[in-house]
Amino acid sequence: MTVETFVVGEIVGRLDKVIAETLPDYSRSQVQDWIEAGLVTVNGIPKKSKYKAKTGETIQFEIPAVVELDIQPQDIPLNIVYEDDDLLVINKPQGMVVHPSLGHEDGTLVNALMFHTPLSQINGAFRPGIVHRIDKDTSGLLMVAKNDKAHEALSAQLKEKKNLREYYALVHGEFTENSGTINAPIGRSNADRKKNAVIKGGRDAVTHFRVIKRFVGYTLLAVKLETGRTHQIRVHMAYINHPVAGDPLYGPKKTLPGQGQYLHAASLGLTQPTTGEEMVFEAPLPDNFVAMLDQLEPYAEPNK
């Protein structure tokens, strides 16, 4: 890992812009990734991309070592819910990583998609076709773009909050209310840089939920995303003291057994980029999720 340090001179303004223009060997998108990862400090304090850097301030950032990944198509089975000339909708199993990265060089959804079909190249070589992601240990639906035009259209829908994205989440604790909204900004945790958290000055994040079924000590929720921050449901549920069951990062150590959080992307709505058709897709709960609900069933409480 390389460390770069410089003092802000005549170029001032947004932190990401100042770094990219002062050190043109680095792209602005690279710089934004480093800032998001907490690798950039101003006078020793981590700042966000939108921070206004001033003359005389010292900027220091760590440049991760470049690791060349040779991403190869792999004949891995895909659960394709829908496919046309522009896009696919995939039902991703729990445990599958979406795109290659250090420590997950192969066996990812991208490796499988590359074997199946050409993909858009807007996100570059590491994330071809990937319009949005779900976590490794979250199962369910995500859309994939086959060409750049479709990718741009689908990304615009996400940005404009036009997509339906509804999840099922089994969470700790028992809700007295039947529905609610969590409106709390999310950013990188100051206490643990591996986590996100609700923090002052974070990015807007809005999550809607409604109770599907109550159990003793647990509740099954339908959770609808209005925004799409990293780990949004997991962070927001932990914030209101109802962490997702099985969540190894945001939940308690003593939780339900399994291979990860009980969180499933069950419904996905989109507008087909070429035809303009409104489309909605559904994915049933995976077997392990259903089995856990069956175990909890004898202890179910009547809905209030």
Side-chain angles (χ1 to χ4, degrees), residues 44-301:
I45 302 172
K47 298 291 184 182
K48 299 183 183 302
S49 292
K50 64 183 180 182
Y51 173 79
K52 302 298 184 183
K54 297 176 283 294
T55 300
E57 290 183 318
T58 299
I59 295 176
Q60 179 173 296
F61 59 100
E62 301 172 355
I63 304 170
V66 176
V67 178
E68 294 294 334
L69 296 178
D70 184 17
I71 303 176
Q72 296 294 325
Q74 291 178 291
D75 188 4
I76 300 170
L78 287 169
N79 186 346
I80 300 172
V81 176
Y82 173 81
E83 181 175 10
D84 62 25
D85 291 340
D86 291 317
L87 63 95
L88 304 97
V89 175
I90 301 293
N91 184 7
K92 185 189 81 68
Q94 187 183 54
M96 175 179 265
V97 175
V98 170
H99 61 80
S101 62
L102 188 62
H104 298 286
E105 290 82 5
D106 57 17
T108 72
L109 179 63
V110 162
N111 294 106
L113 288 166
M114 289 174 64
F115 185 89
H116 177 76
T117 183
L119 299 167
S120 73
Q121 295 299 311
I122 284 180
N123 279 342
F126 296 128
R127 292 184 289 175
I130 301 302
V131 180
H132 66 120
R133 292 174 288 176
I134 55 178
D135 299 331
K136 171 190 173 186
D137 290 325
T138 297
S139 58
L141 300 172
L142 74 164
M143 52 190 171
V144 177
K146 286 186 171 183
N147 55 68
D148 289 356
K149 182 180 178 181
H151 197 134
E152 289 173 351
L154 294 171
S155 294
Q157 292 173 32
L158 283 173
K159 186 175 182 180
E160 295 165 10
K161 304 177 183 177
K162 292 182 177 180
N163 298 97
L164 167 66
R165 286 175 294 162
E166 187 169 76
Y167 292 68
Y168 282 122
L170 182 62
V171 303
H172 285 269
E174 300 162 19
F175 281 74
T176 55
E177 60 272 79
N178 290 323
S179 61
T181 295
I182 307 164
N183 188 343
I186 290 176
R188 187 72 63 179
S189 170
N190 294 318
D192 185 345
R193 304 305 289 177
K194 294 180 181 179
K195 290 184 174 183
N196 287 330
V198 171
I199 61 169
K200 184 178 180 181
R203 301 177 71 187
D204 291 343
V206 180
T207 303
H208 307 283
F209 66 86
R210 57 186 173 89
V211 172
I212 300 298
K213 194 162 192 176
R214 293 177 170 89
F215 303 91
V216 175
Y218 298 92
T219 304
L220 179 65
L221 301 176
V223 183
K224 188 177 293 185
L225 289 178
E226 185 173 316
T227 54
R229 309 306 175 205
T230 300
H231 298 170
Q232 179 172 318
I233 294 173
R234 299 165 66 190
V235 171
H236 270 174
M237 288 298 128
Y239 175 67
I240 63 170
N241 298 315
H242 290 285
V244 177
D247 190 334
L249 190 60
Y250 299 99
K253 290 183 179 179
K254 292 184 178 180
T255 186
L256 297 177
Q259 300 303 311
Q261 59 269 8
Y262 287 89
L263 184 61
H264 175 69
S267 301
L268 175 65
L270 58 89
T271 303
Q272 209 290 337
T274 300
T275 67
E277 180 184 356
E278 299 296 330
M279 313 178 85
V280 177
F281 304 96
E282 307 283 343
L285 287 172
D287 291 345
N288 68 314
F289 206 137
V290 173
M292 182 53 64
L293 294 179
D294 287 344
Q295 289 185 42
L296 293 173
E297 181 64 30
Y299 309 100
E301 291 188 339

